Short mmCIF file of all heavy atoms in Angstrom, two decimals:
data_model
loop_
_atom_site.label_atom_id
_atom_site.label_comp_id
_atom_site.label_asym_id
_atom_site.label_seq_id
_atom_site.Cartn_x
_atom_site.Cartn_y
_atom_site.Cartn_z
N GLY A 1 13.44 -5.43 -13.93
CA GLY A 1 12.19 -5.20 -14.57
C GLY A 1 11.28 -4.25 -13.80
O GLY A 1 11.66 -3.70 -12.76
N SER A 2 10.07 -4.07 -14.32
CA SER A 2 9.09 -3.16 -13.74
C SER A 2 7.74 -3.82 -13.58
O SER A 2 7.40 -4.76 -14.31
CB SER A 2 8.93 -1.93 -14.64
OG SER A 2 10.16 -1.24 -14.79
N LEU A 3 7.00 -3.33 -12.59
CA LEU A 3 5.60 -3.74 -12.39
C LEU A 3 4.85 -2.53 -11.85
O LEU A 3 5.44 -1.69 -11.19
CB LEU A 3 5.51 -4.86 -11.35
CG LEU A 3 5.72 -6.32 -11.75
CD1 LEU A 3 5.63 -7.23 -10.53
CD2 LEU A 3 4.71 -6.75 -12.81
N ARG A 4 3.55 -2.52 -12.11
CA ARG A 4 2.70 -1.51 -11.52
C ARG A 4 1.59 -2.20 -10.73
O ARG A 4 0.82 -2.98 -11.31
CB ARG A 4 2.09 -0.57 -12.54
CG ARG A 4 1.36 0.61 -11.87
CD ARG A 4 0.85 1.64 -12.83
NE ARG A 4 -0.46 1.31 -13.37
CZ ARG A 4 -1.36 2.22 -13.75
NH1 ARG A 4 -1.07 3.49 -13.65
NH2 ARG A 4 -2.51 1.84 -14.26
N LEU A 5 1.54 -1.92 -9.46
CA LEU A 5 0.46 -2.41 -8.60
C LEU A 5 -0.66 -1.39 -8.55
O LEU A 5 -0.41 -0.18 -8.57
CB LEU A 5 0.98 -2.70 -7.20
CG LEU A 5 2.16 -3.63 -7.07
CD1 LEU A 5 2.50 -3.85 -5.58
CD2 LEU A 5 1.94 -4.95 -7.76
N SER A 6 -1.89 -1.92 -8.47
CA SER A 6 -3.06 -1.05 -8.36
C SER A 6 -3.88 -1.49 -7.16
O SER A 6 -3.90 -2.68 -6.80
CB SER A 6 -3.92 -1.14 -9.62
OG SER A 6 -3.19 -0.74 -10.76
N CYS A 7 -4.59 -0.56 -6.58
CA CYS A 7 -5.49 -0.85 -5.47
C CYS A 7 -6.72 0.03 -5.62
O CYS A 7 -6.61 1.24 -5.77
CB CYS A 7 -4.80 -0.57 -4.15
SG CYS A 7 -5.85 -0.68 -2.70
N VAL A 8 -7.88 -0.63 -5.59
CA VAL A 8 -9.14 0.11 -5.65
C VAL A 8 -9.82 0.02 -4.29
O VAL A 8 -9.81 -1.04 -3.65
CB VAL A 8 -10.06 -0.44 -6.76
CG1 VAL A 8 -10.41 -1.89 -6.55
CG2 VAL A 8 -11.31 0.42 -6.89
N ALA A 9 -10.35 1.13 -3.85
CA ALA A 9 -10.98 1.21 -2.55
C ALA A 9 -12.48 1.47 -2.67
O ALA A 9 -12.89 2.29 -3.52
CB ALA A 9 -10.34 2.31 -1.71
N SER A 10 -13.26 0.81 -1.86
CA SER A 10 -14.69 1.11 -1.79
C SER A 10 -14.91 2.13 -0.68
O SER A 10 -14.01 2.38 0.14
CB SER A 10 -15.48 -0.17 -1.50
OG SER A 10 -15.14 -0.65 -0.21
N GLY A 11 -16.09 2.72 -0.65
CA GLY A 11 -16.40 3.66 0.43
C GLY A 11 -16.16 5.09 -0.02
O GLY A 11 -15.63 5.37 -1.10
N SER A 12 -16.54 6.01 0.88
CA SER A 12 -16.55 7.43 0.54
C SER A 12 -15.41 8.23 1.17
O SER A 12 -15.38 9.44 1.01
CB SER A 12 -17.88 8.03 0.96
OG SER A 12 -18.05 7.87 2.37
N ILE A 13 -14.49 7.56 1.85
CA ILE A 13 -13.45 8.32 2.57
C ILE A 13 -12.12 8.30 1.87
O ILE A 13 -11.14 8.82 2.39
CB ILE A 13 -13.27 7.77 3.98
CG1 ILE A 13 -12.84 6.31 3.98
CG2 ILE A 13 -14.54 7.98 4.81
CD1 ILE A 13 -12.45 5.78 5.36
N PHE A 14 -12.07 7.71 0.67
CA PHE A 14 -10.78 7.55 -0.01
C PHE A 14 -10.06 8.87 -0.16
O PHE A 14 -8.88 8.99 0.17
CB PHE A 14 -10.97 6.90 -1.38
CG PHE A 14 -9.70 6.73 -2.14
CD1 PHE A 14 -8.92 5.61 -1.98
CD2 PHE A 14 -9.29 7.71 -3.05
CE1 PHE A 14 -7.72 5.44 -2.67
CE2 PHE A 14 -8.09 7.56 -3.76
CZ PHE A 14 -7.32 6.42 -3.56
N SER A 15 -10.74 9.88 -0.66
CA SER A 15 -10.08 11.14 -1.02
C SER A 15 -9.56 11.89 0.20
O SER A 15 -8.68 12.76 0.05
CB SER A 15 -11.02 12.04 -1.81
OG SER A 15 -12.13 12.40 -1.01
N ILE A 16 -10.03 11.57 1.38
CA ILE A 16 -9.57 12.27 2.59
C ILE A 16 -8.68 11.37 3.45
O ILE A 16 -8.39 11.71 4.59
CB ILE A 16 -10.76 12.80 3.41
CG1 ILE A 16 -11.73 11.67 3.79
CG2 ILE A 16 -11.48 13.90 2.66
CD1 ILE A 16 -12.87 12.12 4.69
N SER A 17 -8.25 10.28 2.88
CA SER A 17 -7.43 9.31 3.61
C SER A 17 -6.01 9.29 3.10
O SER A 17 -5.74 9.62 1.94
CB SER A 17 -8.01 7.90 3.46
OG SER A 17 -9.33 7.82 3.96
N THR A 18 -5.09 8.87 3.99
CA THR A 18 -3.74 8.56 3.57
C THR A 18 -3.71 7.13 3.08
O THR A 18 -4.22 6.23 3.74
CB THR A 18 -2.75 8.73 4.74
OG1 THR A 18 -2.67 10.11 5.09
CG2 THR A 18 -1.38 8.24 4.38
N MET A 19 -3.11 6.96 1.92
CA MET A 19 -3.00 5.63 1.31
C MET A 19 -1.55 5.18 1.34
O MET A 19 -0.63 6.01 1.30
CB MET A 19 -3.49 5.64 -0.13
CG MET A 19 -4.94 6.03 -0.28
SD MET A 19 -6.07 4.93 0.59
CE MET A 19 -5.70 3.34 -0.21
N GLY A 20 -1.37 3.88 1.43
CA GLY A 20 0.01 3.39 1.48
C GLY A 20 0.13 1.99 0.90
O GLY A 20 -0.87 1.29 0.70
N TRP A 21 1.38 1.64 0.66
CA TRP A 21 1.75 0.28 0.28
C TRP A 21 2.75 -0.24 1.31
O TRP A 21 3.69 0.47 1.66
CB TRP A 21 2.38 0.25 -1.12
CG TRP A 21 1.40 0.47 -2.22
CD1 TRP A 21 1.13 1.66 -2.85
CD2 TRP A 21 0.56 -0.51 -2.83
NE1 TRP A 21 0.16 1.48 -3.81
CE2 TRP A 21 -0.19 0.14 -3.83
CE3 TRP A 21 0.39 -1.87 -2.65
CZ2 TRP A 21 -1.13 -0.51 -4.63
CZ3 TRP A 21 -0.53 -2.54 -3.44
CH2 TRP A 21 -1.27 -1.87 -4.42
N PHE A 22 2.50 -1.43 1.76
CA PHE A 22 3.39 -2.12 2.67
C PHE A 22 3.74 -3.47 2.04
O PHE A 22 3.07 -3.92 1.11
CB PHE A 22 2.71 -2.35 4.04
CG PHE A 22 2.51 -1.11 4.83
CD1 PHE A 22 1.59 -0.14 4.46
CD2 PHE A 22 3.25 -0.89 6.00
CE1 PHE A 22 1.40 1.01 5.20
CE2 PHE A 22 3.07 0.26 6.75
CZ PHE A 22 2.15 1.21 6.35
N ARG A 23 4.78 -4.09 2.54
CA ARG A 23 5.14 -5.42 2.02
C ARG A 23 5.64 -6.30 3.15
O ARG A 23 6.13 -5.82 4.16
CB ARG A 23 6.20 -5.33 0.91
CG ARG A 23 7.55 -4.83 1.38
CD ARG A 23 8.48 -4.61 0.17
NE ARG A 23 9.80 -4.16 0.59
CZ ARG A 23 10.75 -3.76 -0.28
NH1 ARG A 23 10.50 -3.78 -1.59
NH2 ARG A 23 11.93 -3.38 0.15
N GLN A 24 5.48 -7.59 2.91
CA GLN A 24 5.94 -8.58 3.89
C GLN A 24 6.60 -9.74 3.15
O GLN A 24 5.92 -10.48 2.42
CB GLN A 24 4.77 -9.08 4.75
CG GLN A 24 5.20 -9.99 5.87
CD GLN A 24 4.07 -10.21 6.87
OE1 GLN A 24 2.91 -9.96 6.61
NE2 GLN A 24 4.43 -10.69 8.06
N ALA A 25 7.89 -9.85 3.35
CA ALA A 25 8.62 -11.00 2.81
C ALA A 25 8.52 -12.17 3.75
O ALA A 25 8.27 -12.02 4.94
CB ALA A 25 10.08 -10.60 2.59
N SER A 26 8.71 -13.35 3.21
CA SER A 26 8.57 -14.57 4.00
C SER A 26 9.52 -14.53 5.20
O SER A 26 10.72 -14.28 5.04
CB SER A 26 8.89 -15.78 3.13
OG SER A 26 8.80 -16.97 3.86
N GLY A 27 8.96 -14.73 6.39
CA GLY A 27 9.76 -14.73 7.61
C GLY A 27 10.05 -13.37 8.19
O GLY A 27 10.70 -13.27 9.22
N ASN A 28 9.59 -12.31 7.52
CA ASN A 28 9.88 -10.96 7.98
C ASN A 28 8.57 -10.26 8.44
O ASN A 28 7.47 -10.73 8.13
CB ASN A 28 10.49 -10.13 6.86
CG ASN A 28 11.90 -10.55 6.54
OD1 ASN A 28 12.46 -11.45 7.17
ND2 ASN A 28 12.46 -9.91 5.53
N GLN A 29 8.77 -9.16 9.14
CA GLN A 29 7.62 -8.36 9.53
C GLN A 29 7.16 -7.49 8.34
O GLN A 29 7.93 -7.20 7.43
CB GLN A 29 8.00 -7.44 10.71
CG GLN A 29 8.22 -8.19 12.02
CD GLN A 29 8.44 -7.24 13.18
OE1 GLN A 29 8.93 -6.14 13.03
NE2 GLN A 29 8.05 -7.67 14.38
N ARG A 30 5.92 -7.08 8.41
CA ARG A 30 5.39 -6.16 7.39
C ARG A 30 6.10 -4.82 7.54
O ARG A 30 6.28 -4.31 8.64
CB ARG A 30 3.88 -6.00 7.55
CG ARG A 30 3.19 -5.33 6.40
CD ARG A 30 1.66 -5.39 6.53
NE ARG A 30 1.18 -6.77 6.54
CZ ARG A 30 -0.10 -7.09 6.48
NH1 ARG A 30 -1.03 -6.12 6.43
NH2 ARG A 30 -0.48 -8.33 6.51
N GLU A 31 6.47 -4.24 6.40
CA GLU A 31 7.20 -2.97 6.42
C GLU A 31 6.61 -1.98 5.45
O GLU A 31 6.00 -2.33 4.42
CB GLU A 31 8.68 -3.19 6.06
CG GLU A 31 8.92 -3.72 4.66
CD GLU A 31 10.40 -3.86 4.33
OE1 GLU A 31 11.26 -3.67 5.20
OE2 GLU A 31 10.69 -4.13 3.15
N LEU A 32 6.80 -0.70 5.78
CA LEU A 32 6.32 0.38 4.95
C LEU A 32 7.12 0.44 3.66
O LEU A 32 8.34 0.33 3.67
CB LEU A 32 6.47 1.71 5.69
CG LEU A 32 6.26 2.97 4.87
CD1 LEU A 32 4.78 3.14 4.58
CD2 LEU A 32 6.81 4.19 5.59
N VAL A 33 6.41 0.63 2.55
CA VAL A 33 7.06 0.88 1.27
C VAL A 33 6.90 2.34 0.89
O VAL A 33 7.88 3.04 0.62
CB VAL A 33 6.45 -0.03 0.16
CG1 VAL A 33 7.08 0.30 -1.18
CG2 VAL A 33 6.65 -1.50 0.49
N ALA A 34 5.65 2.82 0.87
CA ALA A 34 5.40 4.20 0.48
C ALA A 34 4.02 4.61 0.96
O ALA A 34 3.12 3.77 1.09
CB ALA A 34 5.50 4.36 -1.04
N THR A 35 3.87 5.91 1.20
CA THR A 35 2.56 6.46 1.54
C THR A 35 2.32 7.75 0.75
O THR A 35 3.27 8.40 0.30
CB THR A 35 2.42 6.80 3.04
OG1 THR A 35 3.43 7.75 3.41
CG2 THR A 35 2.56 5.54 3.89
N ILE A 36 1.04 8.09 0.61
CA ILE A 36 0.66 9.34 -0.02
C ILE A 36 -0.54 9.90 0.72
O ILE A 36 -1.54 9.20 0.92
CB ILE A 36 0.37 9.14 -1.54
CG1 ILE A 36 0.04 10.48 -2.21
CG2 ILE A 36 -0.72 8.10 -1.77
CD1 ILE A 36 0.07 10.39 -3.74
#
């Protein structure tokens, strides 16, 4: 299946920042998924 995650940011630095998604499965370390 498919899902779409969304994230809204407050503040004025969003457009000049690198954004990313990370994930953490139970018992595991947080890992990079994707960045832009």
Side-chain angles (χ1 to χ4, degrees):
S2 299
L3 276 178
R4 188 174 85 151
L5 305 183
S6 300
C7 172
V8 61
S10 65
S12 59
I13 60 172
F14 179 87
S15 64
I16 57 175
S17 300
T18 292
M19 299 301 299
W21 288 95
F22 290 70
R23 67 187 181 186
Q24 187 167 16
S26 180
N28 290 357
Q29 290 187 330
R30 193 171 297 188
E31 64 177 7
L32 169 73
V33 176
T35 60
I36 183 167

